[in-house]
Amino acid sequence: EADIYQTPRYLVIGTGKKITLECSQTMGHDKMYWYQQDPGMELHLIHYSYGVNSTEKGDLSSESTVSRIRTEHFPLTLESARPSHTSQYLCASNGDTWSTDTQYFGPGTRLTVL
Amino acid sequence: RKEVEQDPGPFNVPEGATVAFNCTYSNSASQSFFWYRQDCRKEPKLLMSVYSSGNEDGRFTAQLNRASQYISLLIRDSKLSDSATYLCVVLYQKVTFGIGTKLQVIP
């Protein structure tokens, strides 16, 4: 089993609220990712980080922001949630070497914005 | 052209059938290849890595064809529990996921 965790698992919140989705891993992985996925649809990379103080935007434009102050922690923040942000958000990580380049996923946060 | 291409399906097959999925990739310098399985409303989970020599894990066989730039997944003796979406993943500097192929095994 992968040691990567996400909280909360489910979040229902009103429009305009600020939210932070937490992701942490205890595998010492330098690389971490955030994906967005609607039901039955493909994964879209929205943010990634290759190490502390490194963050990049992914292939899909997102109004969310991320930070990477510690290796094990990669939170995602929405300053003002909107119904269009309703989706599942999946965090993943992997190492740098050939033996650790497999990407492991957290269980996801299912976000509903009313 | 997408970096990783998969037929989204769905593939509807009877129990006990053999089913094969292909996935093509565009970057010839790609280094690592994987198949993931994703159940409905769950996170993707690693099914198997794909090695140049091909590899087998029980009823599942994965193969890599670098010359034609595709990987394949063969599932023998399909079970109802194999119903899921199978994601092809390619690594070259960054990880790229295919759209996934949906498999439905029918009783």
Side-chain angles (χ1 to χ4, degrees):
Chain A
E1 286 296 315
D3 295 321
I4 180 165
Y5 310 98
Q6 289 185 246
T7 57
R9 292 289 309 277
Y10 303 92
L11 179 61
V12 180
I13 203 161
T15 296
K17 301 291 186 185
K18 177 180 178 179
I19 59 169
T20 296
L21 308 185
E22 303 287 351
C23 175
S24 61
Q25 49 92 10
T26 57
M27 297 174 281
H29 288 165
D30 283 327
K31 297 180 177 179
M32 295 188 74
Y33 312 80
W34 276 103
Y35 293 87
Q36 185 175 341
Q37 186 179 36
D38 293 323
M41 305 299 283
E42 64 187 294
L43 283 165
H44 290 288
L45 180 67
I46 53 174
H47 298 283
Y48 62 97
S49 167
Y50 285 173
V52 171
N53 294 326
S54 150
T55 61
E56 301 287 345
K57 290 194 177 295
D59 305 321
L60 180 70
S61 175
S62 173
E63 293 166 345
S64 57
T65 59
V66 292
S67 62
R68 190 87 184 276
I69 298 170
R70 302 199 319 264
T71 298
E72 62 272 20
H73 198 215
F74 190 39
L76 179 146
T77 298
L78 273 165
E79 289 293 332
S80 179
R82 294 207 302 271
S84 60
H85 297 138
T86 295
S87 189
Q88 173 158 268
Y89 293 84
L90 290 156
C91 180
S93 73
N94 66 269
D96 276 325
T97 65
W98 178 86
S99 61
T100 63
D101 62 3
T102 302
Q103 200 166 89
Y104 291 99
F105 283 81
T109 294
R110 193 166 298 280
L111 172 66
T112 302
V113 183
L114 302 176
Chain B
R1 184 185 170 189
K2 280 191 171 183
E3 291 179 60
V4 178
E5 294 208 56
Q6 287 185 260
D7 181 344
F11 283 54
N12 297 314
V13 303
E15 256 185 303
T18 296
V19 61
F21 308 134
N22 278 348
C23 164
T24 59
Y25 59 94
S26 60
N27 189 340
S28 60
S30 297
Q31 300 157 309
S32 300
F33 308 87
F34 309 89
W35 283 103
Y36 278 70
R37 170 192 170 128
Q38 185 173 26
D39 292 298
C40 188
R41 302 173 85 83
K42 298 280 193 181
E43 75 274 22
K45 293 191 174 179
L46 178 68
L47 179 65
M48 56 200 306
S49 302
V50 187
Y51 305 121
S52 296
S53 54
N55 47 304
E56 190 172 309
D57 182 4
R59 298 182 293 108
F60 298 82
T61 301
Q63 292 196 309
L64 166 64
N65 185 319
R66 283 194 184 272
S68 301
Q69 293 181 209
Y70 75 85
I71 67 172
S72 63
L73 177 68
L74 183 78
I75 306 175
R76 290 181 298 278
D77 188 23
S78 301
K79 310 289 185 194
L80 295 176
S81 57
D82 293 334
S83 298
T85 297
Y86 291 84
L87 299 162
C88 167
V89 181
V90 174
L91 172 64
Y92 173 69
Q93 296 183 342
K94 64 168 184 159
V95 174
T96 303
F97 281 79
I99 192 173
T101 298
K102 185 171 183 179
L103 171 66
Q104 185 68 47
V105 181
I106 305 162

CSV table of all heavy atoms in Angstrom, one decimal, chain B residues 31 33 49-55 62-66:
chain,number,residue,atom,x,y,z
B,31,GLN,N,10.8,6.4,-21.2
B,31,GLN,CA,11.7,5.5,-20.5
B,31,GLN,C,11.0,4.4,-19.7
B,31,GLN,O,11.5,3.3,-19.7
B,31,GLN,CB,12.5,6.3,-19.5
B,31,GLN,CG,13.3,7.4,-20.1
B,31,GLN,CD,13.7,8.5,-19.1
B,31,GLN,OE1,12.8,9.1,-18.5
B,31,GLN,NE2,14.9,8.9,-19.0
B,33,PHE,N,7.1,2.5,-18.5
B,33,PHE,CA,5.7,2.3,-19.0
B,33,PHE,C,5.0,1.5,-17.9
B,33,PHE,O,5.6,0.6,-17.3
B,33,PHE,CB,5.7,1.6,-20.3
B,33,PHE,CG,6.6,2.2,-21.3
B,33,PHE,CD1,8.0,1.9,-21.4
B,33,PHE,CD2,6.1,3.1,-22.2
B,33,PHE,CE1,8.8,2.4,-22.4
B,33,PHE,CE2,6.9,3.7,-23.2
B,33,PHE,CZ,8.3,3.4,-23.2
B,49,SER,N,4.1,-2.8,-14.1
B,49,SER,CA,5.0,-2.1,-14.9
B,49,SER,C,5.2,-2.9,-16.2
B,49,SER,O,4.9,-4.1,-16.2
B,49,SER,CB,6.4,-1.9,-14.2
B,49,SER,OG,6.2,-1.3,-13.0
B,50,VAL,N,5.7,-2.2,-17.2
B,50,VAL,CA,5.9,-2.9,-18.5
B,50,VAL,C,7.4,-2.9,-18.8
B,50,VAL,O,8.0,-1.8,-18.9
B,50,VAL,CB,5.1,-2.2,-19.6
B,50,VAL,CG1,5.2,-3.0,-20.9
B,50,VAL,CG2,3.7,-2.0,-19.2
B,51,TYR,N,8.0,-4.0,-19.0
B,51,TYR,CA,9.4,-4.1,-19.3
B,51,TYR,C,9.6,-4.5,-20.7
B,51,TYR,O,8.7,-5.1,-21.4
B,51,TYR,CB,10.0,-5.2,-18.4
B,51,TYR,CG,9.8,-4.9,-16.9
B,51,TYR,CD1,9.2,-5.9,-16.1
B,51,TYR,CD2,10.2,-3.7,-16.3
B,51,TYR,CE1,8.9,-5.6,-14.7
B,51,TYR,CE2,10.0,-3.4,-15.0
B,51,TYR,CZ,9.3,-4.4,-14.2
B,51,TYR,OH,9.1,-4.1,-12.9
B,52,SER,N,10.8,-4.2,-21.2
B,52,SER,CA,11.1,-4.4,-22.6
B,52,SER,C,10.9,-5.9,-23.0
B,52,SER,O,10.6,-6.2,-24.1
B,52,SER,CB,12.6,-4.0,-22.9
B,52,SER,OG,12.7,-2.6,-22.7
B,53,SER,N,11.2,-6.8,-22.1
B,53,SER,CA,11.2,-8.2,-22.4
B,53,SER,C,9.7,-8.7,-22.2
B,53,SER,O,9.5,-9.9,-22.4
B,53,SER,CB,12.1,-8.9,-21.4
B,53,SER,OG,11.8,-8.6,-20.1
B,54,GLY,N,8.8,-7.9,-21.8
B,54,GLY,CA,7.5,-8.3,-21.5
B,54,GLY,C,7.4,-8.9,-20.2
B,54,GLY,O,8.4,-9.4,-19.6
B,55,ASN,N,6.3,-8.9,-19.5
B,55,ASN,CA,6.1,-9.5,-18.2
B,55,ASN,C,4.7,-9.9,-18.0
B,55,ASN,O,3.8,-9.4,-18.6
B,55,ASN,CB,6.6,-8.5,-17.1
B,55,ASN,CG,6.0,-7.1,-17.2
B,55,ASN,OD1,6.2,-6.5,-18.3
B,55,ASN,ND2,5.4,-6.6,-16.2
B,62,ALA,N,1.8,-8.0,-20.0
B,62,ALA,CA,2.1,-6.6,-20.6
B,62,ALA,C,3.3,-6.8,-21.5
B,62,ALA,O,4.2,-7.5,-21.2
B,62,ALA,CB,2.4,-5.6,-19.5
B,63,GLN,N,3.2,-6.1,-22.6
B,63,GLN,CA,4.3,-6.1,-23.6
B,63,GLN,C,4.6,-4.7,-24.1
B,63,GLN,O,3.7,-3.8,-24.1
B,63,GLN,CB,4.0,-7.0,-24.7
B,63,GLN,CG,3.9,-8.5,-24.3
B,63,GLN,CD,4.0,-9.4,-25.5
B,63,GLN,OE1,3.2,-9.2,-26.4
B,63,GLN,NE2,4.8,-10.4,-25.4
B,64,LEU,N,5.9,-4.5,-24.4
B,64,LEU,CA,6.3,-3.2,-25.0
B,64,LEU,C,6.9,-3.4,-26.3
B,64,LEU,O,7.8,-4.3,-26.5
B,64,LEU,CB,7.4,-2.6,-24.0
B,64,LEU,CG,8.2,-1.4,-24.5
B,64,LEU,CD1,7.3,-0.2,-24.8
B,64,LEU,CD2,9.3,-1.1,-23.5
B,65,ASN,N,6.5,-2.6,-27.3
B,65,ASN,CA,7.1,-2.6,-28.6
B,65,ASN,C,7.7,-1.3,-28.9
B,65,ASN,O,7.0,-0.3,-29.3
B,65,ASN,CB,6.0,-3.0,-29.7
B,65,ASN,CG,6.6,-3.2,-31.1
B,65,ASN,OD1,7.5,-2.4,-31.5
B,65,ASN,ND2,6.2,-4.2,-31.8
B,66,ARG,N,9.0,-1.1,-28.7
B,66,ARG,CA,9.6,0.2,-28.8
B,66,ARG,C,9.7,0.6,-30.3
B,66,ARG,O,9.5,1.8,-30.6
B,66,ARG,CB,11.0,0.2,-28.3
B,66,ARG,CG,11.1,0.2,-26.7
B,66,ARG,CD,12.5,0.6,-26.3
B,66,ARG,NE,12.6,0.5,-24.8
B,66,ARG,CZ,12.3,1.6,-24.0
B,66,ARG,NH1,11.9,2.7,-24.6
B,66,ARG,NH2,12.4,1.5,-22.7
